[in-house]
PDB file of all heavy atoms in Angstrom:
ATOM      1  N   LEU E 153       4.001   3.135   2.950  1.00 87.00           N
ATOM      2  CA  LEU E 153       4.703   2.863   4.207  1.00 87.00           C
ATOM      3  C   LEU E 153       4.028   1.740   4.964  1.00 87.00           C
ATOM      4  O   LEU E 153       4.699   0.840   5.491  1.00 87.00           O
ATOM      5  CB  LEU E 153       4.744   4.132   5.066  1.00 87.00           C
ATOM      6  CG  LEU E 153       5.302   3.979   6.484  1.00 87.00           C
ATOM      7  CD1 LEU E 153       6.786   3.637   6.424  1.00 87.00           C
ATOM      8  CD2 LEU E 153       5.051   5.228   7.288  1.00 87.00           C
ATOM      9  N   ASN E 154       2.712   1.768   5.006  1.00 86.00           N
ATOM     10  CA  ASN E 154       1.956   0.725   5.688  1.00 86.00           C
ATOM     11  C   ASN E 154       2.214  -0.639   5.058  1.00 86.00           C
ATOM     12  O   ASN E 154       2.458  -1.619   5.761  1.00 86.00           O
ATOM     13  CB  ASN E 154       0.470   1.078   5.614  1.00 86.00           C
ATOM     14  CG  ASN E 154      -0.339   0.359   6.636  1.00 86.00           C
ATOM     15  OD1 ASN E 154       0.003  -0.735   7.050  1.00 86.00           O
ATOM     16  ND2 ASN E 154      -1.423   0.973   7.039  1.00 86.00           N
ATOM     17  N   LEU E 155       2.169  -0.718   3.758  1.00 87.00           N
ATOM     18  CA  LEU E 155       2.394  -1.987   3.071  1.00 87.00           C
ATOM     19  C   LEU E 155       3.830  -2.484   3.255  1.00 87.00           C
ATOM     20  O   LEU E 155       4.059  -3.694   3.418  1.00 87.00           O
ATOM     21  CB  LEU E 155       2.066  -1.850   1.589  1.00 87.00           C
ATOM     22  CG  LEU E 155       0.594  -1.614   1.276  1.00 87.00           C
ATOM     23  CD1 LEU E 155       0.403  -1.370  -0.208  1.00 87.00           C
ATOM     24  CD2 LEU E 155      -0.252  -2.776   1.741  1.00 87.00           C
ATOM     25  N   LEU E 156       4.802  -1.589   3.246  1.00 92.00           N
ATOM     26  CA  LEU E 156       6.191  -1.996   3.469  1.00 92.00           C
ATOM     27  C   LEU E 156       6.395  -2.527   4.885  1.00 92.00           C
ATOM     28  O   LEU E 156       7.102  -3.525   5.084  1.00 92.00           O
ATOM     29  CB  LEU E 156       7.136  -0.823   3.201  1.00 92.00           C
ATOM     30  CG  LEU E 156       7.336  -0.439   1.746  1.00 92.00           C
ATOM     31  CD1 LEU E 156       8.177   0.827   1.649  1.00 92.00           C
ATOM     32  CD2 LEU E 156       7.978  -1.567   0.978  1.00 92.00           C
ATOM     33  N   LEU E 157       5.782  -1.888   5.865  1.00 91.00           N
ATOM     34  CA  LEU E 157       5.906  -2.368   7.242  1.00 91.00           C
ATOM     35  C   LEU E 157       5.247  -3.736   7.413  1.00 91.00           C
ATOM     36  O   LEU E 157       5.791  -4.619   8.085  1.00 91.00           O
ATOM     37  CB  LEU E 157       5.287  -1.358   8.210  1.00 91.00           C
ATOM     38  CG  LEU E 157       6.082  -0.086   8.436  1.00 91.00           C
ATOM     39  CD1 LEU E 157       5.251   0.931   9.193  1.00 91.00           C
ATOM     40  CD2 LEU E 157       7.367  -0.396   9.185  1.00 91.00           C
ATOM     41  N   GLN E 158       4.098  -3.921   6.796  1.00 91.00           N
ATOM     42  CA  GLN E 158       3.432  -5.217   6.889  1.00 91.00           C
ATOM     43  C   GLN E 158       4.224  -6.300   6.165  1.00 91.00           C
ATOM     44  O   GLN E 158       4.317  -7.431   6.643  1.00 91.00           O
ATOM     45  CB  GLN E 158       2.017  -5.115   6.344  1.00 91.00           C
ATOM     46  CG  GLN E 158       1.130  -4.302   7.239  1.00 91.00           C
ATOM     47  CD  GLN E 158      -0.248  -4.108   6.677  1.00 91.00           C
ATOM     48  OE1 GLN E 158      -0.602  -4.683   5.650  1.00 91.00           O
ATOM     49  NE2 GLN E 158      -1.038  -3.300   7.345  1.00 91.00           N
ATOM     50  N   ALA E 159       4.810  -5.963   5.038  1.00 92.00           N
ATOM     51  CA  ALA E 159       5.657  -6.918   4.334  1.00 92.00           C
ATOM     52  C   ALA E 159       6.878  -7.280   5.169  1.00 92.00           C
ATOM     53  O   ALA E 159       7.291  -8.444   5.205  1.00 92.00           O
ATOM     54  CB  ALA E 159       6.078  -6.359   2.982  1.00 92.00           C
ATOM     55  N   THR E 160       7.446  -6.298   5.879  1.00 92.00           N
ATOM     56  CA  THR E 160       8.579  -6.563   6.764  1.00 92.00           C
ATOM     57  C   THR E 160       8.187  -7.526   7.871  1.00 92.00           C
ATOM     58  O   THR E 160       8.926  -8.458   8.189  1.00 92.00           O
ATOM     59  CB  THR E 160       9.095  -5.246   7.378  1.00 92.00           C
ATOM     60  OG1 THR E 160       9.446  -4.363   6.325  1.00 92.00           O
ATOM     61  CG2 THR E 160      10.283  -5.481   8.276  1.00 92.00           C
ATOM     62  N   PHE E 161       7.006  -7.332   8.455  1.00 91.00           N
ATOM     63  CA  PHE E 161       6.535  -8.243   9.493  1.00 91.00           C
ATOM     64  C   PHE E 161       6.401  -9.659   8.954  1.00 91.00           C
ATOM     65  O   PHE E 161       6.850 -10.620   9.585  1.00 91.00           O
ATOM     66  CB  PHE E 161       5.194  -7.766  10.058  1.00 91.00           C
ATOM     67  CG  PHE E 161       4.558  -8.772  10.981  1.00 91.00           C
ATOM     68  CD1 PHE E 161       4.994  -8.887  12.286  1.00 91.00           C
ATOM     69  CD2 PHE E 161       3.551  -9.602  10.542  1.00 91.00           C
ATOM     70  CE1 PHE E 161       4.431  -9.810  13.145  1.00 91.00           C
ATOM     71  CE2 PHE E 161       2.975 -10.523  11.381  1.00 91.00           C
ATOM     72  CZ  PHE E 161       3.414 -10.631  12.685  1.00 91.00           C
ATOM     73  N   PHE E 162       5.771  -9.810   7.801  1.00 91.00           N
ATOM     74  CA  PHE E 162       5.562 -11.151   7.260  1.00 91.00           C
ATOM     75  C   PHE E 162       6.869 -11.819   6.858  1.00 91.00           C
ATOM     76  O   PHE E 162       7.023 -13.028   7.016  1.00 91.00           O
ATOM     77  CB  PHE E 162       4.579 -11.110   6.087  1.00 91.00           C
ATOM     78  CG  PHE E 162       3.161 -10.896   6.537  1.00 91.00           C
ATOM     79  CD1 PHE E 162       2.468  -9.772   6.159  1.00 91.00           C
ATOM     80  CD2 PHE E 162       2.538 -11.803   7.377  1.00 91.00           C
ATOM     81  CE1 PHE E 162       1.180  -9.560   6.588  1.00 91.00           C
ATOM     82  CE2 PHE E 162       1.248 -11.606   7.814  1.00 91.00           C
ATOM     83  CZ  PHE E 162       0.565 -10.478   7.420  1.00 91.00           C
ATOM     84  N   VAL E 163       7.833 -11.060   6.361  1.00 93.00           N
ATOM     85  CA  VAL E 163       9.143 -11.627   6.038  1.00 93.00           C
ATOM     86  C   VAL E 163       9.838 -12.090   7.310  1.00 93.00           C
ATOM     87  O   VAL E 163      10.413 -13.188   7.362  1.00 93.00           O
ATOM     88  CB  VAL E 163      10.005 -10.620   5.245  1.00 93.00           C
ATOM     89  CG1 VAL E 163      11.455 -11.046   5.198  1.00 93.00           C
ATOM     90  CG2 VAL E 163       9.462 -10.448   3.844  1.00 93.00           C
ATOM     91  N   LEU E 164       9.808 -11.270   8.359  1.00 90.00           N
ATOM     92  CA  LEU E 164      10.411 -11.672   9.636  1.00 90.00           C
ATOM     93  C   LEU E 164       9.744 -12.920  10.198  1.00 90.00           C
ATOM     94  O   LEU E 164      10.406 -13.832  10.685  1.00 90.00           O
ATOM     95  CB  LEU E 164      10.294 -10.539  10.665  1.00 90.00           C
ATOM     96  CG  LEU E 164      11.261  -9.390  10.569  1.00 90.00           C
ATOM     97  CD1 LEU E 164      10.875  -8.299  11.561  1.00 90.00           C
ATOM     98  CD2 LEU E 164      12.670  -9.862  10.844  1.00 90.00           C
ATOM     99  N   PHE E 165       8.436 -12.956  10.133  1.00 87.00           N
ATOM    100  CA  PHE E 165       7.702 -14.075  10.721  1.00 87.00           C
ATOM    101  C   PHE E 165       7.858 -15.351   9.902  1.00 87.00           C
ATOM    102  O   PHE E 165       8.151 -16.421  10.441  1.00 87.00           O
ATOM    103  CB  PHE E 165       6.223 -13.709  10.859  1.00 87.00           C
ATOM    104  CG  PHE E 165       5.409 -14.788  11.490  1.00 87.00           C
ATOM    105  CD1 PHE E 165       5.515 -15.037  12.850  1.00 87.00           C
ATOM    106  CD2 PHE E 165       4.548 -15.562  10.737  1.00 87.00           C
ATOM    107  CE1 PHE E 165       4.780 -16.041  13.446  1.00 87.00           C
ATOM    108  CE2 PHE E 165       3.811 -16.561  11.314  1.00 87.00           C
ATOM    109  CZ  PHE E 165       3.921 -16.803  12.672  1.00 87.00           C
ATOM    110  N   LEU E 166       7.673 -15.258   8.605  1.00 89.00           N
ATOM    111  CA  LEU E 166       7.692 -16.458   7.765  1.00 89.00           C
ATOM    112  C   LEU E 166       9.098 -16.994   7.499  1.00 89.00           C
ATOM    113  O   LEU E 166       9.260 -18.181   7.213  1.00 89.00           O
ATOM    114  CB  LEU E 166       6.974 -16.182   6.443  1.00 89.00           C
ATOM    115  CG  LEU E 166       5.477 -15.914   6.575  1.00 89.00           C
ATOM    116  CD1 LEU E 166       4.886 -15.552   5.225  1.00 89.00           C
ATOM    117  CD2 LEU E 166       4.751 -17.094   7.181  1.00 89.00           C
TER     118      LEU E 166
END
Side-chain angles (χ1 to χ4, degrees):
L153 173 67
N154 199 331
L155 293 175
L156 287 174
L157 287 169
Q158 290 176 6
T160 303
F161 171 79
F162 286 117
V163 166
L164 282 173
F165 182 74
L166 294 176

